[in-house]
Amino acid sequence: MLRHTLIGLLLSGLLISPAQARIYQYVDDSGRKIFVDRLNKVPARYRDQLEVREEERDQLSPELLNQRKQQRQTDQFRLRVSRQRNQIKEAMQQWVTPYRFVANRISLPVKLVYGARSVELELVMDTGASYTVVHKHAISSLGAQLRPGAAARIADGSVVQTSEVIFDRVEIGPYKAKNVRAGVIDFQGGGVASQGLLGMDFLLNARYQLDRESQQIIWDPEKYQQLQAQLLELETLEQQLRDAPAAADETSAN
C-alpha cells in the first residue's frame, strides 16, 4: 500500500510540473532589459513594469539563451571588479594616517605594544629629536619595565634625564616595528606634546607626504599613487559596464 502511495505521489508530481517556463522581463535603472525565470528574482521596485510570457522550457529562443549567458558572465565580472575595488580601498586606508595640527605641530596616533597590553598615544613629529620619547604617565597602563637611559632634549629646548623602555611593537600607519627602544621622561606638563615626541629614529626611515588640505599623512606616496591609479581604472571599468548594456539596447531599438 505504501509503495503504491509513493508511486502515486511521484506520478502526480510529474503531471503537475509545468511544461512551460514563465519568463519575467523588466528594465533596470541603466536601461538594460533583464530576463529572469522567477518572480522573486525581480527587485520589488521593478515589479510594476513586468512583462510576463510563457516559453517552452526546452525551446527557449537562442537569443534569450545567449542573453542569459552574457548577463551571467557580465554579472560575475562586475562582482569581481567590485571586490577588487573594495580591496584596493581598504589597502589605501592602511597607507593614510589622520593628524592634528595644533600650535604649528603635527600630532598623530601611535600604537605602543608591551607584552599583552597596548596603548595608543598622540605623539608630536619632531625632526629635531634624535629618538622617540614618551611620557611616563602616558604608558603607565602598560606596566612596562624601565631602566636608566640617556639625556634627551624636550620640546622647550631643555635637556632632561630619561629612562628607557623597549616596546614589543610600535605601529604607525602601515609600519609595524618590533623591539623598539624609546626614552621615557617624567613630564607633568600639558598641551599638544603631553604624550611624547616621535623622533628621527623613526622619521628617518619612513617615507611620507603631508596632505594639509585633508590633514592626513600619506605613507610611501609612490605606493599610494599606484593604488590610486588602480582604483581609477576599476571605477572607469565599472562605469563602462554600466553604460554598455544601455547603449547596446538603444542601438538595437534603432
Side-chain angles (χ1 to χ4, degrees), residues 92-107:
M92 290 176 67
Q93 291 176 357
Q94 297 176 3
W95 294 88
V96 172
T97 300
Y99 68 81
R100 294 194 307 127
F101 191 69
V102 181
N104 293 323
R105 294 190 172 192
I106 293 174
S107 175

Side-chain angles (χ1 to χ4, degrees), residues 115-215:
R117 299 180 180 181
S118 65
V119 65
E120 185 172 287
L121 307 184
E122 282 201 21
L123 301 185
V124 171
M125 296 179 67
D126 189 348
T127 56
S130 57
Y131 68 105
T132 298
V133 177
V134 296
H135 298 159
K136 188 175 181 179
H137 69 86
I139 63 169
S140 59
S141 62
L142 297 180
Q145 184 177 5
L146 307 180
R147 59 186 183 183
R153 182 182 63 82
I154 59 176
D156 63 5
S158 61
V159 177
V160 298
Q161 188 65 32
T162 72
S163 299
E164 191 176 78
V165 62
I166 299 178
F167 294 110
D168 293 291
R169 192 167 68 254
V170 174
E171 300 179 8
I172 310 173
Y175 296 100
K176 296 182 180 180
K178 296 182 179 180
N179 301 320
V180 177
R181 190 185 307 271
V184 180
I185 61 174
D186 190 8
F187 183 77
Q188 301 299 326
V192 68
S194 61
Q195 293 182 305
L197 303 173
L198 185 63
M200 289 303 293
D201 56 338
F202 168 78
L203 297 174
L204 190 62
N205 298 314
R207 302 173 64 184
Y208 61 91
Q209 175 183 329
L210 296 180
D211 184 345
R212 295 183 180 274
E213 183 176 348
S214 57
Q215 285 204 328

